[in-house]
Amino acid sequence: MLKAKYDVVVIGAGPAGLAAAIEAKKTGAQDVLVVERAQELGGILQQCIHNGFGLQIFKRDMPGPAYAQHFIDELAGLHIDTLLDAMVLNVTSERHVHATSRGSGFVELDGRALVLSMGCRERTRAQIALPGTRPAGVYTAGTAQRFVNIEGFMPGKRFVILGSGDIGMIMARRLVFEGAKVERVLEIMPFLTGLTRNYVQCLMDFDIPLQLNHTVKRILGNNRVEAIESVQIDKQRQPIAGTEEIIPCDTLLLSVGLIPENELSRKAGVSLDPVTGGPFVDERMQTSVPGIFAAGNVVHVYDLVDWVTEAGLLCGRNAAQYAIRERKLHGRRVGIKAGNNVRYIVPHVLDKESLAESAQRLQMRVTMPIEEPVLIEVMNGEERVARKTELYVRPGEMVNIDIPQSAYDAVQRASELSVRVVRR
Amino acid sequence: MTQEHRKFICITCPRGCALDATVEGKAVVKIEGSSCKRGMDYVKGELTDPRRMVTTTVRVKGGVHPLAPVYTKTPIPKPRIFDLLAEIRKIELKAPVRFGDVVIENALGTGVDVLASRNIPAKSEAS
Ligand SMILES: Cc1cc2nc3c(=O)[nH]c(=O)nc-3n(C[C@H](O)[C@H](O)[C@H](O)COP(=O)(O)OP(=O)(O)OC[C@H]3O[C@@H](n4cnc5c(N)ncnc54)[C@H](O)[C@@H]3O)c2cc1C
Ligand code: SF4
C-alpha cells in the first residue's frame, strides 16, 4: 500500500536513486519510496552487462547488473517502498508528485524531501542533424545495447558506429561477440572520447578500425541502410573534399553523447545550468528549490558508476536530514489565528522554539475602530499567553504585540494560538 | 637476447596508463609510465598469457527476460574468447536464475567458472 506522504520520494531507480534511497533510510527517514518507470530496479546498469564496474567502491571488477544487484538486495532488506512500471509525470516545487503506473493507475503523493535521479538520455540523429535518407537501421548505441543484452535480438549484421564514447566502443565488441561485423568506428574529434582501456579491450583486441577526425556525411539506402558515406574533417570541422568513402553496412549506431533528463526538474521550477544541462546544486546536492535534491547523471554525465553511487549516498543523507527537520519543525509549529476584531495577523505560524531565543513580535490590523482603551490578548483556548493594552485601535494603524520569552511553556502546550482585541 | 621497446596501455583500471616497456623476449626489463605496480603485472601478462574478462548473455527459459547476463569469474586466455562464446551459446538456463549461479564450471578446462551477473526471476515469480 502506498502512503500519501513520505519522508523521501526518489524518482528513478538507477545507481544514483538506489544509493539515495538506501542512505536516506539508514539516516533515519521514516519512510522512503522509489518510483521507477521500468519494470525493474537498476536503471541503465541492467543493460551494461560488461565488466568494469565497482573498482573504486568494492575494489572488485563487476558487470553492471551485478553492481546493481548488490544495491537492489540491500534495498530489499530495508523496508523501502517501490513503485515500478510507474512514470512520474509532474513534480511541483511543493514536492507534490504525480505518477501513472500500470498497476496502481494515477497516483498522487507528497515527499517531505524529493530526490531527482532520472539519469540521462542519448542524443539522437535529429539532435546531430545527419543528412541523407531516413531508412530503417539507424539506432542510438544504448537502444541497440538494450536489444542485444536484454531483449535478445540483433539490430543488424554489418555495423558502422559513429562516436568513440564508451557505449559505442563497448557495443562494437559486444556485436562482434554476437557474430556481427563492425566495419568502422568514426570519431569527429581528433581524440578518443571514451576511456583508453575500452579502445584497447574493445577495438584493438578485435581489430576494429577507428578513424579520428571522421564523420558520417550521408546515409544511403531506401528502406534499410545500405551504406554510409564517411568523410574526413579539418580543424574547423569542415569536410575535406576528396576524402569521402562509401562504407557498406546495414546498421548505423550513434554514440554521440548523453543529455541529462530534466523535464521534471523544469516543471518543479529547479534552475538548470546551461553547460551541464542539469540542476544547479549546492554541496548537499540540493537544487535551487528547497527540499528537492538531485544525484547522478541527471546532474552531470558521469564516466564511472562509483561516483554516481557516492553522489547518491550524499544526496540521500541530506534529503533524509531535510525531511526529518521538516517533520520536527512541523510538530513545533503552531498556527496563529485572527480572533475577535482582528482582520489578519502576521506571522501566520510560529516555531515554538523561537521563544527560546527571543520574544516574538506579532503584527495585525483590526476590523473595526474602537475609540476607548482595549486589551490585546494572545490566547491558547481559554489560557492567556500574552497581553497588552492600547488607548484605542483603528484599522488604518497597525497594532503590535510581543509574545515574551516567559510565555515559552504556555506556548509549548498550544495547538493553536488566537489573537483578539476587546474593550477593557 | 636483444632488448626491444614496446608500448602498452594498461587496462587493469580506468586510468589506462600508457606504458613504455623494455622487453627481452618474454621478460620485462623495465617499464615506464605506470601509476601503480599493477602496470608491471599487466605487461608480464600481455607477454606471456594475455587474458580478458568475458561478459555475454545466455538464453533463459521462462524468465522475465529471455536472456541472463553472465561473466567469467576471472579473466580467461584471450585466444579462447570465441571458443567460450560458442560454448555459452549452446546453453539454455531455466528461470529463476540467481546472481552468482554457476552457469559453466571450469569453462573449456581453463579453471575459470562462468557466473550469472544478476537474478532473473521466473515470469510468474515477478511482482
Ligand atoms: C545507454 C547508456 C549506457 C551506459 N553505459 C555505461 C557504461 O558502460 N559504463 C559506465 O560506467 N557508465 C555507463 N553509462 C553511464 C551510466 O548511465 C551511469 O554510470 C549510471 O548508470 C548513471 O546512473 P543514474 O542513476 O544517474 O541513471 P540511470 O541508471 O540512467 O537511472 C535513471 C533511472 O530513472 C528512471 N526514470 C527516468 N525518468 C523517469 C520518470 N519520469 N519516472 C520514473 N522513472 C524515471 C529511468 O527509467 C532509469 O531507471 C551509460 C549510460 C547510458 C545512457
Ligand atoms: S598501471 Fe595501475 S593505475 Fe595505471 S592503468 Fe594500470 S592499474 Fe591503473
Side-chain angles (χ1 to χ4, degrees), chain A residues 39-40 46 49-51 55-56 60-61 63 65-66 69 73 84 146-152 173-174 176-179 195-197 199-201 204-206 304, chain B residues 8-16 38 42 46 52-57 64-71 73 78 81-82 85 89 99 116-121 127:
Chain A
Q39 287 171 26
E40 57 188 9
Q46 296 292 19
I49 64 161
H50 55 278
N51 59 298
L55 286 162
Q56 311 293 328
R60 265 207 343 249
D61 190 357
Q69 189 75 58
D73 290 348
L84 296 177
R146 191 175 167 85
F147 287 164
V148 177
N149 291 347
I150 295 186
E151 292 171 16
R173 175 181 62 183
R174 183 72 192 118
V176 169
F177 277 10
E178 290 301 326
L195 297 171
T196 330
R197 72 194 299 238
Y199 170 62
V200 175
Q201 60 188 0
M204 255 167 71
D205 273 2
F206 304 98
L304 285 183
Chain B
F8 294 88
I9 295 166
C10 179
I11 60 169
T12 312
C13 88
R15 208 162 160 152
R38 285 180 297 169
Y42 176 74
E46 284 299 284
R52 297 289 184 267
M53 291 271 283
V54 173
T55 60
T56 183
T57 51
V64 292
H65 297 302
L67 302 174
V70 296
Y71 68 108
K73 193 171 178 191
K78 199 164 127 185
I81 291 177
F82 285 94
L85 290 168
R89 210 163 284 133
F99 168 60
S117 308
R118 58 166 287 188
N119 297 347
I120 298 285
S127 52

Coordinates of all heavy atoms in Angstrom, one line a residue, chain A residues 39-40 46 49-51 55-56 60-61 63 65-66 69 73 84 146-152 173-174 176-179 195-197 199-201 204-206 304, chain B residues 8-16 38 42 46 52-57 64-71 73 78 81-82 85 89 99 116-121 127:
Chain A
Q39 N 10.3 -1.8 -15.5 CA 9.6 -2.9 -14.7 C 10.5 -3.4 -13.6 O 10.1 -4.3 -12.8 CB 9.1 -4.0 -15.6 CG 7.9 -3.5 -16.4 CD 7.6 -4.5 -17.5 OE1 7.9 -5.7 -17.4 NE2 6.9 -4.0 -18.5
E40 N 11.8 -3.0 -13.6 CA 12.7 -3.5 -12.6 C 13.6 -2.3 -12.1 O 13.8 -1.3 -12.8 CB 13.5 -4.7 -13.1 CG 14.3 -4.4 -14.3 CD 14.9 -5.6 -14.9 OE1 14.6 -6.7 -14.4 OE2 15.7 -5.5 -15.8
Q46 N 21.4 -2.3 -15.9 CA 20.9 -3.7 -16.3 C 21.2 -4.0 -17.8 O 21.3 -5.2 -18.1 CB 19.4 -3.7 -16.1 CG 18.9 -3.6 -14.7 CD 19.3 -4.8 -13.8 OE1 20.2 -5.5 -14.1 NE2 18.6 -4.9 -12.6
I49 N 26.1 -5.0 -19.5 CA 26.5 -6.3 -19.0 C 28.0 -6.5 -18.9 O 28.5 -7.5 -18.4 CB 25.9 -7.5 -19.8 CG1 26.4 -7.4 -21.2 CG2 24.3 -7.4 -19.8 CD1 26.3 -8.7 -22.0
H50 N 28.7 -5.6 -19.5 CA 30.2 -5.7 -19.5 C 30.7 -5.4 -18.1 O 30.0 -4.8 -17.2 CB 30.8 -4.7 -20.5 CG 30.4 -3.3 -20.2 ND1 29.2 -2.8 -20.7 CD2 30.9 -2.3 -19.6 CE1 29.0 -1.6 -20.3 NE2 30.1 -1.2 -19.6
N51 N 32.0 -5.8 -17.8 CA 32.6 -5.6 -16.5 C 33.2 -4.2 -16.5 O 33.2 -3.5 -17.5 CB 33.6 -6.7 -16.2 CG 34.7 -6.7 -17.2 OD1 34.4 -7.0 -18.4 ND2 35.9 -6.5 -16.8
L55 N 35.1 -0.9 -9.2 CA 36.5 -0.9 -8.9 C 36.9 0.0 -7.7 O 37.7 -0.3 -6.9 CB 37.4 -0.6 -10.1 CG 37.5 -1.7 -11.1 CD1 38.0 -1.2 -12.4 CD2 38.4 -2.8 -10.6
Q56 N 36.2 1.2 -7.7 CA 36.5 2.2 -6.6 C 35.9 1.8 -5.3 O 36.5 1.8 -4.2 CB 36.1 3.6 -7.0 CG 36.5 4.0 -8.4 CD 38.0 4.1 -8.5 OE1 38.7 4.5 -7.6 NE2 38.5 3.8 -9.7
R60 N 36.4 -4.4 -6.7 CA 36.2 -5.6 -7.5 C 35.7 -5.2 -8.9 O 35.1 -4.2 -9.0 CB 35.1 -6.5 -6.8 CG 35.7 -7.5 -5.9 CD 34.8 -8.7 -5.7 NE 33.4 -8.6 -6.1 CZ 32.4 -8.6 -5.2 NH1 32.6 -8.7 -3.9 NH2 31.2 -8.6 -5.7
D61 N 36.0 -6.0 -9.8 CA 35.6 -5.7 -11.2 C 34.3 -6.5 -11.5 O 34.3 -7.7 -11.6 CB 36.8 -6.2 -12.1 CG 36.5 -5.7 -13.5 OD1 35.5 -5.1 -13.8 OD2 37.4 -5.9 -14.4
P63 N 30.4 -6.9 -13.5 CA 29.5 -6.4 -14.5 C 28.4 -5.5 -14.0 O 28.1 -5.5 -12.8 CB 28.8 -7.7 -15.0 CG 29.5 -8.8 -14.3 CD 30.2 -8.3 -13.1
P65 N 25.1 -5.3 -14.2 CA 23.9 -5.9 -13.4 C 24.3 -6.4 -12.0 O 23.5 -6.4 -11.1 CB 23.5 -7.1 -14.3 CG 24.0 -6.7 -15.7 CD 25.3 -6.0 -15.5
A66 N 25.6 -6.9 -11.9 CA 26.0 -7.4 -10.6 C 26.1 -6.2 -9.6 O 25.8 -6.3 -8.4 CB 27.3 -8.1 -10.7
Q69 N 22.7 -5.4 -8.7 CA 22.1 -6.4 -7.8 C 22.5 -6.2 -6.3 O 21.7 -6.3 -5.4 CB 22.6 -7.8 -8.3 CG 21.8 -8.9 -7.6 CD 20.4 -9.1 -8.1 OE1 20.2 -9.3 -9.3 NE2 19.4 -9.0 -7.3
D73 N 19.6 -5.7 -3.6 CA 19.4 -6.6 -2.4 C 19.5 -5.8 -1.1 O 18.7 -6.1 -0.2 CB 20.6 -7.7 -2.4 CG 20.4 -8.7 -3.6 OD1 19.4 -8.7 -4.2 OD2 21.4 -9.4 -3.8
L84 N 7.0 0.3 -9.3 CA 7.7 0.1 -10.6 C 6.7 0.3 -11.7 O 5.5 0.3 -11.5 CB 8.2 -1.4 -10.6 CG 9.3 -1.7 -9.6 CD1 9.7 -3.2 -9.7 CD2 10.5 -0.8 -9.8
R146 N 20.3 -2.3 -25.4 CA 19.1 -2.9 -24.8 C 18.6 -4.1 -25.6 O 18.3 -5.2 -25.1 CB 18.1 -1.8 -24.6 CG 17.0 -2.3 -23.8 CD 15.9 -1.3 -23.4 NE 14.8 -2.2 -22.9 CZ 14.8 -2.6 -21.6 NH1 15.7 -2.1 -20.8 NH2 13.9 -3.4 -21.2
F147 N 18.5 -3.9 -26.9 CA 18.1 -5.0 -27.8 C 18.9 -6.3 -27.6 O 18.4 -7.3 -27.4 CB 18.1 -4.6 -29.3 CG 17.1 -3.6 -29.7 CD1 17.3 -2.9 -30.9 CD2 16.0 -3.3 -28.9 CE1 16.3 -2.0 -31.3 CE2 15.0 -2.4 -29.3 CZ 15.2 -1.7 -30.5
V148 N 20.2 -6.1 -27.7 CA 21.1 -7.2 -27.7 C 21.3 -7.8 -26.3 O 21.2 -9.1 -26.2 CB 22.5 -6.8 -28.2 CG1 23.5 -7.9 -28.2 CG2 22.5 -6.2 -29.6
N149 N 21.3 -7.0 -25.3 CA 21.7 -7.6 -24.0 C 20.5 -8.0 -23.1 O 20.6 -8.7 -22.2 CB 22.5 -6.5 -23.2 CG 23.9 -6.4 -23.8 OD1 24.3 -7.2 -24.6 ND2 24.6 -5.3 -23.4
I150 N 19.3 -7.4 -23.4 CA 18.2 -7.7 -22.5 C 17.1 -8.4 -23.3 O 16.5 -9.4 -22.9 CB 17.6 -6.4 -21.8 CG1 18.7 -5.8 -20.9 CG2 16.3 -6.7 -21.1 CD1 18.2 -4.7 -20.0
E151 N 16.8 -7.8 -24.5 CA 15.6 -8.3 -25.2 C 16.0 -9.5 -26.1 O 15.1 -10.2 -26.6 CB 14.9 -7.2 -26.0 CG 14.3 -6.3 -25.0 CD 13.7 -5.0 -25.6 OE1 13.6 -4.9 -26.8 OE2 13.5 -4.1 -24.8
G152 N 17.3 -9.6 -26.5 CA 17.8 -10.8 -27.2 C 17.6 -10.8 -28.7 O 17.3 -11.8 -29.2
R173 N 32.4 -4.3 -29.5 CA 32.9 -5.6 -29.0 C 31.7 -6.5 -28.9 O 31.8 -7.7 -29.3 CB 33.7 -5.5 -27.7 CG 34.1 -6.8 -27.1 CD 34.8 -6.7 -25.8 NE 34.0 -6.0 -24.8 CZ 34.5 -5.7 -23.6 NH1 35.7 -6.0 -23.3 NH2 33.7 -5.1 -22.7
R174 N 30.7 -6.0 -28.3 CA 29.5 -6.9 -28.0 C 28.9 -7.4 -29.3 O 28.5 -8.6 -29.3 CB 28.5 -6.0 -27.3 CG 27.2 -6.7 -26.8 CD 27.5 -7.7 -25.7 NE 26.4 -8.5 -25.5 CZ 26.4 -9.9 -25.6 NH1 27.6 -10.5 -25.9 NH2 25.4 -10.6 -25.4
V176 N 30.5 -7.9 -32.1 CA 31.4 -8.9 -32.6 C 31.2 -10.2 -31.9 O 31.2 -11.3 -32.5 CB 32.9 -8.4 -32.5 CG1 33.9 -9.5 -32.8 CG2 33.1 -7.2 -33.4
F177 N 31.0 -10.2 -30.6 CA 30.8 -11.4 -29.8 C 29.5 -12.1 -30.3 O 29.4 -13.3 -30.3 CB 30.5 -11.0 -28.3 CG 31.8 -10.8 -27.5 CD1 33.0 -10.8 -28.1 CD2 31.7 -10.7 -26.1 CE1 34.2 -10.6 -27.3 CE2 32.8 -10.6 -25.4 CZ 34.1 -10.5 -26.0
E178 N 28.6 -11.3 -30.8 CA 27.3 -12.0 -31.3 C 27.4 -12.2 -32.8 O 26.3 -12.5 -33.4 CB 26.1 -11.1 -30.9 CG 25.8 -11.0 -29.4 CD 25.5 -12.4 -28.8 OE1 24.9 -13.2 -29.5 OE2 25.9 -12.6 -27.6
G179 N 28.6 -12.2 -33.3 CA 28.7 -12.7 -34.7 C 28.6 -11.6 -35.8 O 28.6 -11.9 -37.0
L195 N 37.1 5.9 -22.6 CA 38.3 5.5 -21.9 C 39.3 4.8 -22.8 O 38.9 3.9 -23.6 CB 38.0 4.6 -20.7 CG 37.1 5.2 -19.6 CD1 36.6 4.1 -18.7 CD2 37.8 6.3 -18.9
T196 N 40.6 5.0 -22.6 CA 41.6 4.3 -23.4 C 41.5 2.8 -23.2 O 41.7 2.1 -24.2 CB 43.0 4.8 -23.0 OG1 42.9 6.1 -22.5 CG2 44.0 4.7 -24.1
R197 N 41.2 2.4 -22.0 CA 41.1 0.9 -21.8 C 40.1 0.3 -22.7 O 40.2 -0.8 -23.1 CB 40.9 0.6 -20.3 CG 39.5 0.9 -19.9 CD 39.4 0.9 -18.4 NE 39.7 -0.4 -17.7 CZ 38.8 -1.1 -17.0 NH1 37.6 -0.6 -16.8 NH2 39.2 -2.2 -16.4
Y199 N 39.3 1.4 -25.7 CA 39.9 1.3 -27.0 C 40.7 0.0 -27.1 O 40.6 -0.7 -28.1 CB 40.8 2.6 -27.3 CG 41.6 2.5 -28.5 CD1 41.0 2.4 -29.7 CD2 43.0 2.4 -28.4 CE1 41.7 2.3 -30.9 CE2 43.7 2.3 -29.6 CZ 43.1 2.2 -30.8 OH 43.8 2.1 -32.0
V200 N 41.5 -0.3 -26.1 CA 42.3 -1.5 -26.1 C 41.5 -2.8 -26.1 O 41.6 -3.6 -27.0 CB 43.3 -1.5 -24.9 CG1 44.1 -2.8 -24.9 CG2 44.2 -0.3 -25.0
Q201 N 40.6 -2.9 -25.1 CA 39.9 -4.2 -25.0 C 38.7 -4.3 -25.8 O 38.2 -5.5 -25.9 CB 39.6 -4.4 -23.5 CG 38.7 -3.4 -22.9 CD 38.5 -3.6 -21.4 OE1 39.1 -4.5 -20.8 NE2 37.8 -2.7 -20.7
M204 N 40.9 -2.6 -30.3 CA 42.2 -3.2 -30.7 C 42.2 -4.7 -30.6 O 42.6 -5.4 -31.5 CB 43.3 -2.6 -29.8 CG 44.2 -1.6 -30.4 SD 45.2 -0.7 -29.2 CE 46.4 -2.0 -28.7
D205 N 41.7 -5.2 -29.5 CA 41.6 -6.7 -29.3 C 40.9 -7.4 -30.5 O 41.2 -8.5 -30.8 CB 40.9 -7.0 -28.0 CG 41.8 -7.0 -26.8 OD1 43.0 -6.7 -27.0 OD2 41.4 -7.3 -25.7
F206 N 40.0 -6.7 -31.1 CA 39.2 -7.4 -32.2 C 39.4 -6.7 -33.6 O 38.6 -6.9 -34.5 CB 37.7 -7.4 -31.8 CG 37.6 -8.1 -30.4 CD1 37.4 -7.3 -29.3 CD2 37.6 -9.4 -30.3 CE1 37.3 -7.9 -28.1 CE2 37.5 -10.1 -29.1 CZ 37.4 -9.3 -28.0
L304 N 32.2 7.2 -14.3 CA 32.3 6.0 -13.5 C 31.1 5.9 -12.6 O 30.7 6.8 -11.9 CB 33.5 6.0 -12.7 CG 34.9 5.8 -13.4 CD1 36.0 5.8 -12.4 CD2 34.8 4.4 -14.1
Chain B
F8 N 52.4 -0.3 -24.3 CA 51.1 -1.0 -23.9 C 50.2 0.1 -23.3 O 50.7 1.1 -22.8 CB 51.4 -2.0 -22.8 CG 52.2 -3.2 -23.3 CD1 53.6 -3.2 -23.3 CD2 51.6 -4.3 -23.8 CE1 54.3 -4.3 -23.8 CE2 52.3 -5.4 -24.3 CZ 53.7 -5.4 -24.2
I9 N 48.9 -0.2 -23.3 CA 48.0 0.6 -22.5 C 47.4 -0.3 -21.4 O 46.8 -1.4 -21.8 CB 46.9 1.2 -23.3 CG1 47.5 2.2 -24.3 CG2 45.9 1.9 -22.4 CD1 46.6 2.6 -25.4
C10 N 47.7 0.0 -20.2 CA 47.3 -0.9 -19.1 C 45.7 -0.8 -19.0 O 45.2 0.3 -19.0 CB 47.9 -0.5 -17.8 SG 47.3 -1.5 -16.4
I11 N 45.0 -1.9 -19.0 CA 43.6 -1.9 -18.9 C 43.1 -2.4 -17.5 O 41.9 -2.7 -17.4 CB 42.9 -2.7 -20.0 CG1 43.4 -4.2 -19.9 CG2 43.3 -2.1 -21.4 CD1 42.5 -5.1 -20.9
T12 N 44.0 -2.5 -16.6 CA 43.6 -3.0 -15.3 C 42.6 -2.1 -14.5 O 41.8 -2.5 -13.8 CB 44.9 -3.2 -14.4 OG1 45.8 -3.9 -15.2 CG2 44.5 -4.0 -13.1
C13 N 42.8 -0.8 -14.7 CA 41.8 0.1 -14.1 C 41.5 1.2 -15.1 O 42.2 1.4 -16.1 CB 42.3 0.6 -12.8 SG 43.3 2.1 -12.9
P14 N 40.5 2.0 -14.8 CA 40.0 3.0 -15.8 C 41.1 4.1 -16.1 O 40.9 4.9 -17.1 CB 38.8 3.7 -15.2 CG 38.3 2.7 -14.1 CD 39.6 2.0 -13.7
R15 N 42.1 4.2 -15.3 CA 43.1 5.2 -15.6 C 43.8 5.0 -16.9 O 44.2 6.0 -17.6 CB 44.1 5.1 -14.5 CG 44.8 6.4 -14.2 CD 45.4 6.4 -12.9 NE 46.4 7.4 -12.9 CZ 46.8 8.1 -11.8 NH1 46.3 7.7 -10.6 NH2 47.7 9.0 -11.9
G16 N 44.0 3.8 -17.3 CA 44.6 3.5 -18.6 C 45.9 4.0 -18.9 O 46.2 4.7 -19.9
R38 N 50.6 -2.5 -10.5 CA 49.9 -3.5 -11.3 C 50.2 -3.3 -12.8 O 49.9 -4.2 -13.6 CB 48.4 -3.3 -11.1 CG 47.9 -3.9 -9.7 CD 46.4 -3.7 -9.5 NE 46.1 -2.3 -9.5 CZ 44.8 -1.9 -9.5 NH1 43.8 -2.7 -9.6 NH2 44.6 -0.6 -9.4
Y42 N 50.5 -6.3 -15.6 CA 49.8 -6.3 -16.8 C 50.7 -6.6 -18.0 O 50.4 -7.5 -18.9 CB 49.1 -4.9 -17.0 CG 48.4 -4.9 -18.4 CD1 47.2 -5.6 -18.6 CD2 48.9 -4.1 -19.4 CE1 46.5 -5.5 -19.8 CE2 48.3 -4.1 -20.6 CZ 47.1 -4.8 -20.8 OH 46.5 -4.7 -22.1
E46 N 50.5 -9.7 -20.6 CA 50.4 -9.5 -22.1 C 51.4 -10.2 -22.8 O 51.2 -10.7 -23.9 CB 50.4 -8.0 -22.4 CG 49.2 -7.2 -22.1 CD 47.9 -7.7 -22.8 OE1 47.7 -7.5 -24.0 OE2 47.1 -8.4 -22.1
R52 N 41.5 -11.9 -20.7 CA 40.4 -10.9 -20.6 C 39.2 -11.5 -19.9 O 39.0 -12.7 -19.9 CB 40.0 -10.6 -22.0 CG 41.0 -9.9 -22.9 CD 41.3 -8.5 -22.5 NE 42.2 -7.8 -23.5 CZ 43.6 -7.8 -23.3 NH1 44.1 -8.4 -22.3 NH2 44.3 -7.2 -24.2
M53 N 38.5 -10.6 -19.2 CA 37.2 -11.0 -18.7 C 36.3 -11.1 -19.9 O 36.4 -10.3 -20.8 CB 36.7 -9.9 -17.8 CG 37.4 -9.6 -16.5 SD 36.7 -10.7 -15.1 CE 35.2 -9.8 -14.7
V54 N 35.4 -12.0 -19.8 CA 34.4 -12.1 -20.9 C 33.0 -11.9 -20.3 O 32.7 -12.6 -19.2 CB 34.5 -13.5 -21.6 CG1 33.3 -13.6 -22.6 CG2 35.8 -13.5 -22.4
T55 N 32.2 -11.0 -20.9 CA 30.8 -10.9 -20.4 C 29.9 -11.1 -21.6 O 30.3 -10.6 -22.7 CB 30.6 -9.5 -19.8 OG1 30.8 -8.5 -20.8 CG2 31.4 -9.3 -18.6
T56 N 28.9 -11.8 -21.5 CA 28.0 -12.0 -22.6 C 26.6 -12.4 -22.0 O 26.4 -12.2 -20.8 CB 28.5 -13.1 -23.6 OG1 27.6 -13.2 -24.6 CG2 28.7 -14.5 -22.9
T57 N 25.7 -13.0 -22.8 CA 24.4 -13.4 -22.3 C 24.2 -14.9 -22.6 O 24.8 -15.4 -23.5 CB 23.3 -12.6 -22.9 OG1 23.5 -12.6 -24.3 CG2 23.3 -11.1 -22.5
V64 N 11.7 -13.4 -16.7 CA 11.2 -12.1 -17.0 C 11.8 -11.5 -18.3 O 11.3 -10.6 -18.9 CB 11.2 -11.1 -15.9 CG1 10.3 -11.5 -14.7 CG2 12.6 -10.9 -15.4
H65 N 13.1 -11.9 -18.5 CA 13.8 -11.6 -19.8 C 14.2 -12.9 -20.5 O 14.4 -13.9 -19.8 CB 15.0 -10.7 -19.5 CG 14.7 -9.4 -18.8 ND1 13.9 -8.5 -19.3 CD2 15.2 -8.9 -17.6 CE1 13.8 -7.5 -18.5 NE2 14.6 -7.7 -17.4
P66 N 14.4 -12.8 -21.8 CA 14.8 -14.0 -22.5 C 16.3 -14.4 -22.3 O 16.8 -15.4 -22.7 CB 14.5 -13.7 -24.0 CG 14.5 -12.2 -24.0 CD 14.1 -11.7 -22.7
L67 N 17.0 -13.4 -21.7 CA 18.5 -13.6 -21.5 C 18.9 -13.4 -20.1 O 18.2 -12.6 -19.4 CB 19.3 -12.6 -22.4 CG 19.0 -12.6 -23.9 CD1 19.8 -11.4 -24.5 CD2 19.5 -13.9 -24.5
A68 N 20.0 -14.0 -19.7 CA 20.6 -13.6 -18.4 C 22.1 -13.2 -18.7 O 22.8 -13.9 -19.5 CB 20.7 -14.8 -17.5
P69 N 22.5 -12.1 -18.2 CA 23.9 -11.7 -18.4 C 24.8 -12.6 -17.5 O 24.5 -13.0 -16.4 CB 24.0 -10.3 -17.9 CG 22.9 -10.1 -17.0 CD 21.8 -11.1 -17.4
V70 N 26.0 -13.0 -18.1 CA 27.0 -13.8 -17.4 C 28.4 -13.2 -17.5 O 28.6 -12.5 -18.4 CB 26.9 -15.3 -17.9 CG1 25.6 -15.9 -17.7 CG2 27.3 -15.3 -19.4
Y71 N 29.3 -13.7 -16.6 CA 30.6 -13.2 -16.7 C 31.6 -14.3 -16.2 O 31.2 -15.2 -15.5 CB 30.8 -11.9 -15.9 CG 30.7 -12.1 -14.4 CD1 31.8 -12.0 -13.6 CD2 29.5 -12.3 -13.8 CE1 31.7 -12.1 -12.2 CE2 29.3 -12.5 -12.4 CZ 30.5 -12.4 -11.6 OH 30.4 -12.5 -10.3
K73 N 34.5 -15.5 -13.9 CA 34.8 -15.1 -12.6 C 36.2 -14.4 -12.6 O 36.4 -13.5 -11.8 CB 34.8 -16.3 -11.7 CG 34.9 -15.9 -10.2 CD 34.7 -17.1 -9.3 CE 34.8 -16.7 -7.9 NZ 34.8 -17.9 -7.0
K78 N 43.0 -14.9 -23.8 CA 42.5 -14.1 -24.9 C 42.2 -15.0 -26.1 O 41.1 -14.9 -26.7 CB 43.4 -13.0 -25.2 CG 42.8 -11.9 -26.0 CD 43.7 -10.7 -25.9 CE 44.0 -10.2 -27.3 NZ 45.0 -9.1 -27.3
I81 N 38.6 -16.7 -26.3 CA 37.3 -16.0 -26.1 C 36.2 -16.5 -27.0 O 35.1 -16.8 -26.5 CB 37.5 -14.5 -26.4 CG1 38.4 -13.9 -25.3 CG2 36.2 -13.7 -26.4 CD1 38.7 -12.4 -25.5
F82 N 36.5 -16.7 -28.3 CA 35.4 -17.1 -29.2 C 35.0 -18.6 -29.0 O 33.8 -18.9 -29.2 CB 35.8 -16.8 -30.6 CG 35.7 -15.3 -30.9 CD1 36.8 -14.5 -30.8 CD2 34.5 -14.8 -31.2 CE1 36.7 -13.1 -31.0 CE2 34.4 -13.4 -31.5 CZ 35.5 -12.6 -31.4
L85 N 32.6 -18.3 -26.1 CA 31.3 -17.7 -26.5 C 30.5 -18.8 -27.2 O 29.2 -18.9 -27.0 CB 31.5 -16.5 -27.5 CG 32.1 -15.3 -26.9 CD1 32.5 -14.3 -27.9 CD2 31.1 -14.6 -25.9
R89 N 26.8 -20.2 -26.0 CA 25.7 -20.2 -26.9 C 24.9 -21.5 -26.9 O 23.7 -21.5 -27.2 CB 26.2 -19.8 -28.3 CG 25.2 -19.0 -29.1 CD 25.8 -18.3 -30.3 NE 26.5 -17.2 -29.9 CZ 27.7 -16.9 -30.4 NH1 28.4 -17.7 -31.2 NH2 28.4 -15.7 -30.0
F99 N 21.8 -14.5 -8.9 CA 23.1 -13.8 -9.0 C 24.2 -14.8 -8.5 O 24.0 -15.3 -7.4 CB 23.1 -12.5 -8.2 CG 24.4 -11.9 -8.0 CD1 25.2 -11.6 -9.1 CD2 24.9 -11.7 -6.7 CE1 26.4 -11.0 -8.9 CE2 26.2 -11.2 -6.5 CZ 26.9 -10.8 -7.6
A116 N 26.4 -16.2 -13.3 CA 25.3 -15.3 -13.6 C 25.5 -13.9 -13.0 O 25.9 -13.9 -11.8 CB 23.9 -15.8 -13.2
S117 N 25.3 -12.8 -13.7 CA 25.5 -11.5 -13.2 C 24.4 -10.9 -12.4 O 24.5 -9.8 -11.8 CB 25.8 -10.5 -14.4 OG 26.8 -11.0 -15.2
R118 N 23.2 -11.5 -12.5 CA 22.0 -10.9 -11.7 C 21.0 -12.0 -11.6 O 21.1 -13.1 -12.1 CB 21.4 -9.8 -12.5 CG 21.0 -10.1 -13.9 CD 20.1 -9.1 -14.5 NE 18.8 -9.1 -13.9 CZ 17.8 -8.4 -14.4 NH1 17.9 -7.6 -15.5 NH2 16.6 -8.4 -13.8
N119 N 19.9 -11.7 -10.8 CA 18.8 -12.5 -10.7 C 17.9 -12.4 -11.9 O 17.7 -11.2 -12.4 CB 17.9 -12.1 -9.5 CG 18.6 -12.3 -8.2 OD1 19.7 -12.9 -8.1 ND2 18.0 -11.7 -7.1
I120 N 17.4 -13.5 -12.5 CA 16.3 -13.4 -13.5 C 15.2 -14.2 -12.8 O 15.2 -15.4 -12.9 CB 16.7 -14.0 -14.8 CG1 17.9 -13.3 -15.4 CG2 15.5 -14.0 -15.8 CD1 17.6 -11.9 -16.0
P121 N 14.2 -13.5 -12.3 CA 13.1 -14.2 -11.7 C 12.3 -14.9 -12.8 O 12.3 -14.5 -13.9 CB 12.2 -13.1 -11.1 CG 13.1 -11.8 -11.1 CD 14.1 -12.0 -12.2
S127 N 7.0 -9.7 -9.4 CA 5.9 -8.9 -8.8 C 5.8 -7.6 -9.4 O 6.8 -7.1 -10.0 CB 6.0 -8.8 -7.3 OG 7.3 -8.4 -7.0

